Amino acid sequence: MSRFEPFVGTPVPGPERDFVGYGRSAPRVPLPNGGRVAISIVINYEEGSENAHPNGDGRNDGMTESIYAMDPRYRDLCAESVYEYGSRAGIWRLERLFTQYKIPVTFFAAAVALERNREVAAWIREAGHEACSHGWRWEEVWTLSRDEEAEHIRRAVASITETCGQRPLGWYCRYGASVHTRELLIEEGGFEYDSDAYNDDFPYYAKVGAHRQLVVPYSATYNDARFSLVPSYGSPSDYLDNLKRGFDLLHEEGEQHPRLMSIGLHPRIIGQASRIHALREFLDYVGAKGGAEFMQRIEIARWWKATHPAM
């Protein structure tokens, strides 16, 4: 019989992976008003901070209505105009919807995007929505040096504090963090949570050196970005069906263990009329069924800290 040797893997920089989490012991943490599902509506506001020749990048960004890939030597006016749709039209459809339904929202806001459209920053400020930092620009932080990333974090905090009148208390990178991000957030100070993870239906604490950082996980599943992927949603009805089915099961599970549902929105994507129509139908469905509490991510973070403090 061969001798068993456990797999060890290779030491690498950055956070350790955790495949266990809460396991079979899902936390029983009641929501503030006794609901079953905490729904976090997130608006990813990136327009104007994406990769583009006018931003000095020498290349163009994706996530548009087309899968056409223009040679990066040339300025992609089509892609630029799709992003502009989000800041000119799509964002105000979202404003009308969430104002009508009185839903508190978290913005994953790229600082430069808010600098370029201060009307959006004014809405965040006047409505009491949360400005969570989505970076100085909508950039791939893993390509930066540690010092460059630290400087961009500092710039993002200063910029959002100026445009929104509130410093960001949460952080979410484009796509994923670098191996340095969590350490840098702690070094900068002032952040109550980050959302750079997709690995649970509950918040949790991650060990970062001698510190414990609260993570409020995000989701790529209930995210309108799938309209820009291949394969994508076939229609707004597919998007609606995905949201409803997810909410139904979380609602069922939430009878014993309240769950977190993160819904990610992009003004240039969901802001199209047919798609926001499906989102409105989902909100009506949730309202009719009951058991949901719409919460900003900072509210979720503070709820978790109060009821499930770090040990």
Side-chain angles (χ1 to χ4, degrees), residues 5-65:
E5 294 183 7
F7 178 76
V8 177
T10 303
V12 292
E16 294 184 8
R17 300 185 70 186
D18 180 357
F19 295 96
V20 178
Y22 293 109
R24 293 188 238 186
S25 303
R28 294 174 180 264
V29 184
L31 286 170
N33 297 307
R36 297 186 177 195
V37 184
I39 298 183
S40 168
I41 299 286
V42 175
I43 297 176
N44 292 261
Y45 193 68
E46 303 149 349
E47 286 79 359
S49 69
E50 76 279 5
N51 290 314
H53 282 259
N55 289 342
D57 298 307
R59 63 187 180 113
N60 308 298
D61 226 314
M63 282 189 68
T64 68
E65 297 291 314

Side-chain angles (χ1 to χ4, degrees), residues 40-46 49 63 106-114 130-142 144 149 152-153 156-157 160 167-178 180-182 184-186 188 190-200 204 213-226 229 260 262-268 297-298:
S40 168
I41 299 286
V42 175
I43 297 176
N44 292 261
Y45 193 68
E46 303 149 349
S49 69
M63 282 189 68
T106 293
F107 277 76
F108 284 171
V112 168
L114 291 178
E130 179 194 1
C132 170
S133 180
H134 199 15
W136 176 55
R137 287 184 54 194
W138 192 47
E139 60 190 350
E140 296 144 333
V141 297
W142 57 89
L144 304 175
E149 186 178 1
H152 287 201
I153 290 172
V157 170
I160 292 173
R167 72 143 288 155
L169 301 174
W171 186 274
Y172 174 70
C173 294
R174 174 178 180 165
Y175 177 73
S178 81
H180 306 298
T181 302
R182 270 198 189 128
L184 293 173
L185 295 179
I186 290 170
E188 172 68 24
F191 291 101
E192 296 194 27
Y193 73 93
D194 76 64
S195 286
D196 285 321
Y198 305 82
N199 53 5
D200 216 314
Y204 62 89
Q213 169 82 340
L214 181 64
V215 179
V216 181
Y218 192 42
S219 173
T221 302
Y222 310 112
N223 197 307
D224 66 355
R226 294 172 64 86
L229 302 177
L260 169 63
S262 296
I263 299 176
L265 308 173
H266 299 75
R268 62 188 178 276
R297 297 180 88 74
I298 186 60

Side-chain angles (χ1 to χ4, degrees), residues 41 93-105 123 129 276-288 293-294:
I41 299 286
R93 280 206 177 98
L94 289 168
E95 185 273 332
R96 292 190 293 272
L97 180 68
F98 294 129
T99 298
Q100 177 187 351
Y101 283 73
K102 297 182 173 61
I103 291 177
V105 170
W123 171 36
H129 294 312
I276 206 164
H277 187 276
L279 176 61
R280 186 177 68 186
E281 189 172 335
F282 172 71
L283 297 179
D284 289 337
Y285 178 80
V286 169
E293 297 185 28
F294 289 95

